[in-house]
Amino acid sequence: MKDYPDELEADLLEFFGVDVLDFWSGRLSLRRIAVLINSLLHKPGKSVLLQAMDEKTRWDEPTYLLARNSDALELSNYLFLKANSTNADDLDPPAPIPRPGEMEPEPEDTEMSSPQEVMDLFRTMNSL
C-alpha cells in the first residue's frame, strides 16, 4: 500500500479536528488513529485519503448518475438521428463522459506484431 501521510493528516484534521502530531505528544493513541482511518474509508467522495487511494471515489453517486443520464440522452439523440436521417452513415456514435479511475479505451486500429517481428526483437535484445 502506498503512503498517504498528507491526505491522512488533512482528513483527520478536517473531519475530526484531530491533529496527527498529537500522537507524538501522547494525546492520541494508535487505536484511536486506526478507528479514525477506518471511519475515513467509509466516506466515499469526501475523504481526501480515499480519493488518493481510489480515483473512482472522486465522484459521488449523484455525479455518476448525472453522467449516466447524459450518456443515455446522447445515445438516444444519436439513435433518433440515425433512424430519421438520410445520411445516417456520416454520424459517429457519441463518446461517453470519462469517469475518474477508468482506463481510456484503446484505439481499435492498433496492429499486432507478427511472430517473426517479435522473434527479431528478442534476437536484437539478446545480442545487445
Side-chain angles (χ1 to χ4, degrees), residues 19-93:
D19 191 358
V20 178
L21 295 177
D22 287 345
F23 172 73
W24 304 115
S25 65
R27 290 180 286 191
L28 188 63
S29 68
L30 280 177
R31 182 185 179 284
R32 180 71 178 146
I33 291 175
V35 168
L36 294 175
I37 290 172
N38 191 28
S39 174
L40 286 175
L41 295 178
H42 292 91
K43 294 184 181 299
K46 298 177 185 170
S47 169
V48 179
L49 174 67
L50 192 56
Q51 290 177 11
M53 293 172 64
D54 184 9
E55 288 184 14
K56 291 180 182 179
T57 59
R58 292 179 191 230
W59 282 7
D60 57 354
E61 188 175 353
T63 308
Y64 275 105
L65 291 173
L66 283 172
R68 185 172 180 208
N69 285 340
S70 176
D71 290 344
L73 185 60
E74 289 286 330
L75 182 62
S76 175
N77 289 339
Y78 166 75
L79 292 174
F80 177 81
L81 289 174
K82 189 138 176 107
N84 295 309
S85 178
T86 57
N87 56 354
D89 296 334
D90 298 339
L91 295 174
D92 294 327

